[in-house]
Amino acid sequence: MSIAGGIAKAAENVVSMKANTMQIFSRNPRGSGYKTYSRQETDAFLKIRSANQFGPLLAHAPYTMNLASEKEEVYTFACMVIREDIARMDALGMEMLVFHPGSHTGIGTEKGIENIIAGLNQAITGQEQITVLLETMSGKGTEIGASFEELKAIRDGVKHPERIGICLDTCHVFAAGYDIVHDLDGVLEEFDRVLGLELLRAIHFNDSMMPFASHKDRHATIGDGMIGSDALIRIIQHPMLKELPFYLETPLDDVGHKQEIQNIREKIGEIR
């Protein structure tokens, strides 16, 4: 569940929605600015988190960050953002920071991956507690990360692979051509073969407006898209996935997310 604004207020909203974890943006998702949290707000956030026994927390880097870019100003900005946000989110006690690997914009996947690796190497010291997650992508345009092999190439190239994990987005992998509806076990076996399931740390839990293998990234509310409620509930209950944190990124406001969470809990109860 992506929430912007004050972090203590976001935590209060999570409690009111009857959720037990949260995702925040590390800064403005469509820009460059970020809020410096006061000690008072940080303490309030940590108190709410502890009192309600939140699971692992996830920060999401801005969409404007493109570590695969060949353009100097774009790449310099991306390197600054990932470096700053790893440090800031680590200091805040966030367990994970996820980012979209980036788009190579014409220089080719191999060179784009080289840029991503270099950007991560200048940002990760190896002394952090936070885990940086590469997100599975839909493969639109020149986007990198639509295949498990591309994500492996990034992780294999960095100086501190122990600080790198994977976030699987259900909408994205479906759009990329991984059949989580009819062959979930096969997809997980492929993930394990290429990357290792131990690297899977988080799930972005979304339905897809677009059909299978469309390579288009359009999230839908749970049960209102082409993946469908039954397949998504099988994912959340799968023995290899059910202990992972799940984060909704569906196009709803707080009221809608509260109802969606209730619906998911009810469906899980029905299937059990």
Side-chain angles (χ1 to χ4, degrees):
M1 175 177 320
S2 298
I3 305 172
I7 194 166
K9 177 62 176 175
E12 291 175 354
N13 289 345
V14 168
V15 174
S16 71
M17 291 180 218
K18 300 188 184 305
N20 54 14
T21 189
M22 61 189 284
Q23 173 177 271
I24 64 168
F25 284 109
S26 58
R27 63 177 68 208
N28 185 331
R30 302 289 181 185
S32 60
Y34 63 84
K35 179 178 179 180
T36 300
Y37 300 117
S38 68
R39 179 61 181 271
Q40 182 180 8
E41 182 171 10
T42 300
D43 287 348
F45 159 69
L46 293 174
K47 184 176 180 180
I48 296 167
R49 173 183 180 174
S50 176
N52 293 277
Q53 299 181 320
F54 283 1
L57 303 185
L58 180 62
H60 199 307
Y63 303 127
T64 49
M65 188 185 87
N66 184 6
L67 274 181
S69 178
E70 66 172 329
K71 295 182 179 179
E72 183 177 358
E73 65 276 18
V74 174
Y75 187 67
T76 298
F77 170 77
C79 286
M80 176 196 71
V81 168
I82 194 67
R83 184 174 63 249
E84 290 183 352
D85 287 6
I86 287 173
R88 290 174 51 245
M89 295 300 103
D90 195 35
L92 190 59
M94 305 295 289
E95 282 87 353
M96 300 172 289
L97 171 70
V98 64
F99 76 101
H100 294 180
S103 296
H104 65 71
T105 62
I107 60 174
T109 300
E110 184 176 349
K111 178 58 178 174
I113 288 175
E114 288 178 7
N115 288 349
I116 295 166
I117 291 169
L120 289 172
N121 283 341
Q122 61 87 42
I124 300 174
T125 68
Q127 302 303 308
E128 301 88 356
Q129 296 300 310
I130 198 168
T131 301
V132 179
L133 304 186
L134 307 171
E135 183 167 344
T136 59
M137 303 306 297
S138 65
K140 61 182 179 181
T142 60
E143 196 172 61
I144 293 172
S147 74
F148 299 154
E149 287 79 6
E150 289 175 0
L151 299 177
K152 174 179 170 55
I154 296 169
R155 185 177 184 274
D156 284 353
V158 299
K159 294 178 182 176
H160 297 286
E162 73 279 3
R163 298 261 54 88
I164 303 292
I166 307 296
C167 173
L168 186 148
D169 186 300
T170 53
C171 170
H172 295 174
V173 294
F174 177 77
Y178 289 98
D179 194 356
I180 57 175
V181 175
H182 301 105
D183 189 22
L184 176 59
D185 285 337
V187 172
L188 294 178
E189 287 169 7
E190 179 72 0
F191 187 101
D192 192 37
R193 182 186 69 79
V194 176
L195 284 158
L197 276 169
E198 70 278 1
L199 296 181
L200 183 55
R201 303 297 179 84
I203 306 287
H204 278 165
F205 197 53
N206 309 297
D207 213 324
S208 174
M209 291 184 183
M210 308 305 293
F212 177 69
S214 64
H215 299 289
K216 294 182 179 180
D217 177 8
R218 295 289 301 279
H219 294 192
T221 53
I222 303 303
D224 292 328
M226 304 299 289
I227 300 175
S229 178
D230 289 348
L232 287 164
I233 295 301
R234 285 197 295 272
I235 290 170
I236 207 170
Q237 291 193 307
H238 194 282
M240 294 182 180
L241 305 176
K242 65 180 182 179
E243 300 302 323
L244 291 170
F246 282 69
Y247 306 88
L248 289 167
E249 290 185 322
T250 51
L252 294 170
D253 59 13
D254 288 352
V255 173
H257 278 136
K258 181 176 182 178
Q259 183 62 55
E260 189 171 36
I261 290 167
Q262 180 179 330
N263 293 344
I264 291 168
R265 293 189 188 281
E266 289 175 354
K267 288 180 183 296
I268 290 172
E270 288 173 5
I271 291 178
R272 284 177 179 170

